[in-house]
Amino acid sequence: MRWINLLFLMLSLLSSHVIANPTTEKVQIGDMVQINLPGEVSLNRGFQVDKRGRIEIPEIGTLYVAGYTEKQLSETVLTALSEVYRDVSSASVYISEQQILISVQGYVTSPGEYTLPKNANIQMALHAAGGLRSGAQLDNMLLKRGQEKQTFNYKAFLDSGDESLLPTMRSLDSLFVPASPLVGNIEQQFDAAKQANAGDSADSRTAIKVFGEVNAPGSFSYKSNTDLVDVLMRAGGVTRYASVEQIRVITNNSPQMFNLKSYLDSGDKSLLPKLSQGTTIFVPKQEEEIKAGANVVYIMGEVAHPGAYEGKSGASFMDILANAGGPTRFAESRQIRLIKANGRVIKFDLTAYTEGLSNQSPPNIAPGDAIFVPEKTDMNEKSWLKIAPDRAVSVIGEVVRPGRIEWSNEMDLMDLLAHVGGPTLRADTTKIEVVNGDGKLHTFNLDEFIINGAPSYDLPYISAGSIVRIHDLPQDPSDNKSQWVRQSSDASIYVFGQVNSPGRYRFTKEMHFLDILSAADGPTKDADIHNIRVTHRDKTYSKVSQLNLSLYFETGDESLLPNVTMGDTIYIPEKDKNWLDKSKESTIRILGAVNKPGRYVFNDNMTILDILAEAGGPSDSAYLEKISVVNMSCCQEQARTFNLINFSKTANIYELPVIRAGDTIFVPDRRDSFLEKARVGLEDILRLTTTIVLIGAL
């Protein structure tokens, strides 16, 4: 560590010598003061001198350093550091970078305070503020230094490149950029090009004013020998909507009409009006004349250019439609109407015609006819306001956008479902109901249709006036029974007993027994998963399957799981249920000196030790050497004894008796044994003998 500290000290001394001259440089506001003290992470960096001439040093606080030479700066900072740090002999303090702190205000992109190099000029300050905004006044900028103010012409510098036209800057200077008077007194988007095109006159009294249908209206300076055409060209020329035959000119308070078209046709300069200072020129907008007559055909609605068109001989329906720019993207091209001059209405399906699906040819057009192209039905608008009942199909239920949909014979059920956004997440797509014009109900399984490859011949017939209904799937049966009761029973499975959400659940052929158990949130903690019952209702005879789910989880044998289908019932009983509900063939009886004698449910995975544990264990007076086991489940009843004391010493599992459901276990009481009775009798004889001896002694 010592050589690293020496290296830091040498580098700091070298940089102090190279960067600044301690005899001439003084600390200015904005400068960067470098403080190096090896081993202190809070130091060893630059500290900027703020507007009050101070620097903020960790653990020290604020120190005033503005105007100090580097020697004075070093002495001041080192003195302050020595009050906190024990050894500051390796510390160095010097001016690492000379900077100025200025403020840029006014019509610039990002006004604010900026730190710039010491030799920065006005142009660098404007660049730091993001540049000038459109509409900034360049010839009247202001530099503030304390109470002093200095204006300068930045435009003259841009024109000449003479830097002597720009004032020098110091720390705490403020540069202000005013807005041009052309901007006005409200904040707005300022386009300098448009402002320049608005005229070049600075004197409104002598200017020639041009407005109306010209490309660049404004006030233009008057020049001798200027004619009206010159002024119109300076105004960008007339627009295509200008009425050039009725240009109005006011000169010396005398209005007159000028026909530019006649002048251009003849070239006669005598037609040009005389212009003087203050002349006003107005170019009006051409008025549309109303076209009418025996040869006019009208086209209205959703076409690119609706209006009246001259109907020439031989012009067809498609010619008129093409001249109007064709239907727009909002046009309902299936419902085009041709209104004949005699009032008869002809319907035409342009979409079917262009796809070759219609035998109808375009109607004949005659003068005075009108073609109407209606607008498409808006999704947000009530469709029955625009679609007649004989052209609509009603889609109700669990689809994204139910409603009345316009029907076309080229469509099928899949097109209709796609048009309404498809079924929702809660839709029961196995039983879509379709009612056609025959009034009969047809059901359609969309899931099976897609799995089978979506053959088009399996789709139900749909026509105008049909009704399509899609039911919703049941929600949580414990919360909303009004919905799951609507679920068809032949598509449901019933789950009862010890499950977290008993009820009726939708079931398909692709689902598994465990799928239904999972849908019911699984068995509860009190469920007896060893004795699950499944009632099969799809049989012509009664059938109940028994399932040991615990054995399935131990072995993973899929053959243990029953095959369930729609309409079946699953019942999961409660664990440790009342023994009266259990048959004697499925229980074990334990009697005698145990803490909780009674009947207990038994399975093949249990031993006599499990049964004794279920019964609370032997009591204090139990005779453990002579536990009796009576096997009654076999064809011949037999009994054997079991010595629990010997087993506890050897732990030989082969000494455990075989237990089967229906057996009886008896734990005798030690007080009832022959040895215990003999011991008690011997004690009585000894007491009697002792009593006789005492009496004789007395």
Side-chain angles (χ1 to χ4, degrees):
M1 286 298 293
R2 179 174 299 174
W3 67 270
I4 295 177
N5 293 337
L6 292 176
L7 180 60
F8 268 110
L9 177 60
M10 292 174 64
L11 291 175
S12 63
L13 292 176
L14 179 60
S15 58
S16 174
H17 176 71
V18 173
I19 293 176
N21 187 349
T23 59
T24 59
E25 300 295 343
K26 290 188 177 182
V27 179
Q28 301 292 330
I29 292 174
D31 286 353
M32 192 67 69
V33 176
Q34 180 71 27
I35 302 177
N36 291 331
L37 183 58
E40 293 297 330
V41 293
S42 61
L43 301 176
N44 296 316
R45 61 183 179 87
F47 298 88
Q48 188 176 18
V49 182
D50 63 14
K51 292 190 294 186
R52 297 184 180 181
R54 305 175 304 176
I55 58 174
E56 182 77 22
I57 305 176
E59 306 292 341
I60 302 298
T62 57
L63 289 179
Y64 183 84
V65 295
Y68 287 5
T69 63
E70 269 200 322
K71 182 178 180 181
Q72 294 172 330
L73 170 68
S74 178
E75 293 175 351
T76 302
V77 174
L78 292 178
T79 301
L81 290 175
S82 63
E83 297 178 359
V84 176
Y85 300 98
R86 180 176 299 175
D87 183 12
V88 295
S89 60
S90 59
S92 62
V93 181
Y94 56 90
I95 302 173
S96 62
E97 188 175 357
Q98 290 186 308
Q99 304 175 134
I100 59 175
L101 186 65
I102 65 166
S103 172
V104 184
Q105 303 172 352
Y107 226 59
V108 292
T109 302
S110 301
E113 290 187 347
Y114 295 94
T115 301
L116 302 176
K118 183 180 180 180
N119 59 349
N121 56 20
I122 295 293
Q123 196 161 16
M124 294 175 64
L126 294 176
H127 175 74
L132 298 170
R133 291 177 57 186
S134 298
Q137 188 174 358
L138 306 182
D139 59 351
N140 192 29
M141 291 189 182
L142 179 66
L143 183 67
K144 301 177 184 178
R145 182 174 298 156
Q147 299 298 325
E148 299 180 6
K149 296 181 181 179
Q150 179 182 358
T151 59
F152 61 95
N153 190 337
Y154 186 65
K155 178 67 167 58
F157 162 73
L158 295 177
D159 293 338
S160 63
D162 186 1
E163 294 186 357
S164 63
L165 299 175
L166 299 178
T168 58
M169 292 191 301
R170 299 178 184 174
S171 277
L172 300 182
D173 282 357
S174 178
L175 176 62
F176 176 73
V177 180
S180 172
L182 298 177
V183 175
N185 60 353
I186 59 173
E187 180 66 20
Q188 60 180 340
Q189 289 296 114
F190 182 83
D191 191 338
K194 290 183 178 179
Q195 193 69 24
N197 292 336
D200 56 3
S201 175
D203 189 351
S204 60
R205 294 173 301 172
T206 62
I208 296 178
K209 304 172 184 63
V210 184
F211 61 101
E213 288 299 320
V214 291
N215 289 303
S219 298
F220 301 89
S221 59
Y222 173 77
K223 298 179 181 179
S224 59
N225 300 324
T226 298
D227 59 27
L228 187 140
V229 176
D230 295 333
V231 175
L232 290 179
M233 292 300 296
R234 291 166 66 186
V238 296
T239 68
R240 66 188 186 93
Y241 303 106
S243 178
V244 295
E245 300 175 353
Q246 298 178 342
I247 297 177
R248 292 169 175 80
V249 181
I250 302 175
T251 303
N252 296 326
N253 297 325
S254 175
Q256 65 181 109
M257 194 77 68
F258 172 65
N259 190 334
L260 179 61
K261 185 176 183 300
S262 298
Y263 168 73
L264 296 176
D265 291 340
S266 63
D268 186 2
K269 289 189 176 183
S270 63
L271 297 177
L272 293 172
K274 299 294 182 182
L275 301 182
S276 62
Q277 296 181 355
T279 298
T280 300
I281 302 173
F282 172 67
V283 182
K285 185 177 181 180
Q286 185 179 13
E287 296 180 0
E288 295 285 347
E289 64 172 321
I290 299 176
K291 293 182 180 180
N295 295 326
V296 176
V297 176
Y298 309 94
I299 182 164
M300 303 171 289
E302 287 298 326
V303 291
H305 308 294
Y309 293 86
E310 294 289 341
K312 296 182 180 180
S313 60
S316 65
F317 175 88
M318 303 300 288
D319 294 331
I320 298 296
L321 196 62
N323 274 274
T328 67
R329 64 189 182 95
F330 303 105
E332 180 52 272
S333 56
R334 291 186 176 275
Q335 303 296 328
I336 296 178
R337 301 288 187 271
L338 174 63
I339 306 172
K340 303 294 289 183
N342 58 8
R344 189 166 64 95
V345 178
I346 300 176
K347 299 179 181 179
F348 179 63
D349 188 342
L350 179 62
T351 301
Y353 175 75
T354 55
E355 294 177 357
L357 301 174
S358 174
N359 296 324
Q360 182 185 11
S361 300
N364 296 322
I365 297 293
D369 291 351
I371 301 172
F372 175 66
V373 182
E375 180 187 3
K376 282 183 180 177
T377 302
D378 188 0
M379 287 297 179
N380 299 321
E381 188 176 350
K382 297 298 184 181
S383 59
W384 55 79
L385 298 178
K386 290 191 174 183
I387 301 177
D390 60 348
R391 295 190 294 108
V393 171
S394 300
V395 183
I396 58 179
E398 287 298 321
V399 293
V400 176
R401 295 185 297 272
R404 293 175 73 254
I405 310 301
E406 185 176 7
W407 178 257
S408 174
N409 291 330
E410 299 92 58
M411 299 171 63
D412 56 23
L413 178 62
M414 301 306 295
D415 298 324
L416 185 65
L417 292 177
H419 185 72
V420 297
T424 65
L425 296 177
R426 296 188 57 250
D428 183 3
T429 52
T430 61
K431 283 193 174 182
I432 298 178
E433 298 177 347
V434 179
V435 178
N436 284 323
D438 56 4
K440 294 182 180 179
L441 174 64
H442 306 273
T443 60
F444 174 64
N445 190 331
L446 179 60
D447 296 346
E448 184 177 337
F449 172 76
I450 295 175
I451 292 174
N452 293 336
S456 58
Y457 53 80
D458 282 348
L459 289 171
Y461 175 71
I462 303 287
S463 61
S466 298
I467 300 174
V468 178
R469 181 173 71 169
I470 301 179
H471 289 284
D472 56 336
L473 292 173
Q475 292 180 345
D476 185 359
S478 62
D479 293 338
N480 195 346
K481 294 185 181 300
S482 64
Q483 289 201 4
W484 68 261
V485 166
R486 294 206 308 267
Q487 178 73 27
S488 176
S489 60
D490 58 356
S492 304
I493 277 192
Y494 303 83
V495 184
F496 301 112
Q498 293 300 315
V499 291
N500 289 294
S501 298
R504 192 167 65 158
Y505 290 88
R506 180 179 178 271
F507 189 81
T508 62
K509 296 178 180 179
E510 293 77 20
M511 297 178 72
H512 193 267
F513 173 82
L514 297 179
D515 295 329
I516 290 298
L517 207 58
S518 300
D521 293 338
T524 65
K525 63 179 182 178
D526 299 323
D528 183 5
I529 61 175
H530 301 84
N531 296 291
I532 298 177
R533 300 291 190 272
V534 179
T535 304
H536 303 278
R537 301 173 59 199
D538 61 328
K539 310 292 182 183
T540 57
Y541 54 89
S542 300
K543 180 180 179 181
V544 177
S545 299
Q546 184 175 355
L547 168 63
N548 186 344
L549 191 60
S550 175
L551 184 60
Y552 165 74
F553 287 129
E554 291 176 4
T555 63
D557 188 1
E558 292 284 340
S559 63
L560 296 175
L561 297 177
N563 294 323
V564 292
T565 186
M566 286 80 77
D568 288 356
T569 302
I570 300 173
Y571 174 69
I572 301 179
E574 182 181 357
K575 185 168 54 178
D576 298 332
K577 204 173 181 183
N578 190 350
W579 64 270
L580 292 175
D581 294 341
K582 301 291 182 180
S583 64
K584 63 181 181 179
E585 292 81 7
S586 63
T587 60
I588 288 286
R589 292 176 288 272
I590 182 165
L591 309 172
V594 291
N595 290 314
K596 293 189 295 183
R599 281 174 45 166
Y600 292 92
V601 177
F602 180 80
N603 58 58
D604 294 338
N605 296 324
M606 299 174 68
T607 65
I608 188 173
L609 302 178
D610 298 318
I611 294 298
L612 289 174
E614 288 282 342
S619 64
D620 295 337
S621 61
Y623 188 23
L624 303 180
E625 292 87 347
K626 293 290 185 180
I627 298 177
S628 300
V629 179
V630 181
N631 297 120
M632 302 180 64
S633 57
C634 294
C635 51
Q636 181 179 359
E637 297 180 357
Q638 56 182 348
R640 58 171 295 188
T641 60
F642 170 60
N643 191 333
L644 181 60
I645 300 299
N646 288 341
F647 174 78
S648 64
K649 295 177 180 179
T650 63
N652 186 2
I653 60 174
Y654 297 103
E655 294 181 0
L656 293 175
V658 177
I659 303 295
R660 299 182 181 89
D663 290 354
T664 301
I665 300 172
F666 175 70
V667 181
D669 196 308
R670 186 175 295 277
R671 292 171 295 185
D672 297 333
S673 65
F674 175 77
L675 293 177
E676 183 67 16
K677 290 181 178 180
R679 184 184 64 80
V680 172
L682 182 59
E683 287 181 356
D684 293 340
I685 294 173
L686 291 175
R687 290 194 189 100
L688 180 59
T689 304
T690 302
T691 303
I692 294 174
V693 171
L694 290 174
I695 293 174
L698 292 174

